[in-house]
Amino acid sequence: MSLSNKQLISEHFSKAAASYDGAAQLQLAVIERASKYLTLSTKSKVLDVGCGTANLVKFSQGNLYQGCDISQGMLKTAQHKVATCADYKNNFRQFNFEQADAHDLPFADNSFDVVFSSLAWQWCDLTKVIQQAYRVCKPGGQVVFTTLLANTLVELKQAFVALDTNNHVNNFLTIEEVKQQIAQAEVTCDVLEVIDHQTHYDSVKALLKELKAIGANTVVNRDKSTGLTRAKLQKLENAYPRHSNKVTASWQTLYSCINKPLK
Ligand SMILES: C[S@@+](CC[C@H](N)C(=O)[O-])C[C@H]1O[C@@H](n2cnc3c(N)ncnc32)[C@H](O)[C@@H]1O
């Protein structure tokens, strides 16, 4: 992942920090589902990598919640939320936040009982970020993560073909590619569950607006500037498949759990 792509991701998420929670219903549902894999106690030290606005806190409890994210804007929103929201502030004894890149975590080896990450690693080199998460996880602890797979936003990708041959939507890994990257990280996943989620909109414009509101509008290695004129947007609306006059977006989501053995 190049520095310019990382900067772009960080900028888009920082711009989206204020609108994120209002638009991130799917992301919240994915965290709630993933949190069922967590084994937590009042003593647990939890690291949330790519924590965004710290939504994991709503579905977990423990001693320390350490959030880290590449986006300063997301961290600021998260800090404000855990200090002020009733659903959040009593779930952990202590909260810390730090700006950090998932590829190079600034934490000591074997320091967290749980390392969690939801819908952040589809922009990362998966082998590297898994190795980092595993390194900072204590023996006997767990790494739980979710990421997006190749069938995500396939309808949008297909509709863009009507416009040009440029890359307008990220390329997500297939489950086979994910398995290869996990093998390269030299860890064993105890859970690899693929769930297809769908979200519905009145128009493609509404879908694109939501992607921007959650900061997920970065296209890694975008070929050219691909601004949408009114005419292009209309072409996209016409090309997008509709059911009952609604636009549907698919989100193929992987839920995974790695239990780190006690030596
Ligand atoms: C879709 S949001 C998910 C946030 C949160 N985990 C949730 O599910 O609500 C993705 C988050 O990952 C962060 N992110 C992306 N690349 C990252 C990286 N290399 N290191 C750390 N955070 C990263 C973004 O800044 C953003 O806050």
Side-chain angles (χ1 to χ4, degrees):
M1 163 82 53
S2 71
L3 192 60
S4 60
N5 276 326
K6 277 186 196 167
Q7 271 164 354
L8 213 57
I9 289 168
S10 165
E11 274 168 31
H12 282 166
F13 277 107
S14 284
K15 274 189 197 152
S19 54
Y20 184 83
D21 280 346
Q25 272 72 34
L26 171 82
Q27 289 70 14
L28 203 64
V30 170
I31 292 189
E32 184 172 13
R33 192 172 200 292
S35 66
K36 307 235 168 20
Y37 293 113
L38 299 175
T39 308
L40 293 166
S41 77
T42 50
K43 291 185 181 159
S44 296
K45 291 185 174 180
V46 177
L47 171 64
D48 187 1
V49 182
C51 63
T53 58
N55 280 327
L56 172 64
V57 175
K58 191 172 178 181
F59 305 105
S60 56
Q61 290 102 37
N63 183 29
L64 169 72
Y65 173 86
Q66 171 73 61
C68 76
D69 201 288
I70 203 166
S71 151
Q72 200 58 265
M74 284 290 196
L75 290 169
K76 243 176 119 180
T77 303
Q79 264 168 313
H80 179 72
K81 192 155 80 176
V82 302
T84 54
C85 286
D87 284 0
Y88 289 74
K89 63 181 179 185
N90 296 322
N91 286 359
F92 286 84
R93 199 182 58 79
Q94 197 192 337
F95 292 97
N96 281 339
F97 290 92
E98 189 161 339
Q99 188 174 27
D101 181 354
H103 298 89
D104 186 18
L105 294 174
F107 306 109
D109 296 358
N110 309 323
S111 44
F112 295 96
D113 300 287
V114 168
V115 182
F116 183 85
S117 187
S118 191
L119 300 183
W121 288 355
Q122 57 275 6
W123 285 285
C124 298
D125 172 335
L126 192 60
T127 300
K128 276 194 191 152
V129 296
I130 290 176
Q131 281 171 335
Q132 283 289 301
Y134 196 78
R135 176 182 69 74
V136 301
C137 180
K138 287 181 188 172
Q142 50 176 184
V143 176
V144 173
F145 72 93
T146 76
T147 191
L148 297 173
L149 298 176
N151 278 343
T152 298
L153 297 174
V154 275
E155 306 87 352
L156 183 61
K157 198 176 266 192
Q158 189 54 40
F160 265 117
V161 172
L163 256 59
D164 53 47
T165 55
N166 290 337
N167 203 14
H168 295 270
V169 180
N170 274 319
N171 286 317
F172 301 103
L173 300 179
T174 63
I175 184 68
E176 291 312 319
E177 288 167 334
V178 167
K179 283 180 185 170
Q180 280 167 16
Q181 298 226 8
I182 290 169
Q184 278 166 24
E186 298 181 344
V187 299
T188 306
C189 280
D190 299 280
V191 176
L192 271 182
E193 191 182 12
V194 178
I195 304 285
D196 291 311
H197 298 281
Q198 291 191 324
T199 50
H200 306 279
Y201 309 86
D202 290 332
S203 62
V204 180
K205 192 176 175 188
L207 163 61
L208 295 175
K209 195 172 163 201
E210 183 179 290
L211 291 179
K212 199 168 175 187
I214 60 169
N217 52 333
T218 310
V219 178
V220 173
N221 301 327
R222 192 191 284 266
D223 329 85
K224 292 175 191 162
S225 166
T226 46
L228 273 183
T229 60
R230 197 179 286 187
K232 280 184 179 176
L233 182 61
Q234 191 52 54
K235 220 171 167 183
L236 203 58
E237 296 278 2
N238 296 342
Y240 205 105
R242 272 164 214 268
H243 302 286
S244 310
N245 215 23
K246 286 272 178 192
V247 158
T248 297
S250 296
W251 305 85
Q252 191 185 28
T253 310
L254 173 71
Y255 294 80
S256 183
C257 179
I258 300 165
N259 292 309
K260 185 167 174 175
L262 283 164
K263 289 261 159 75

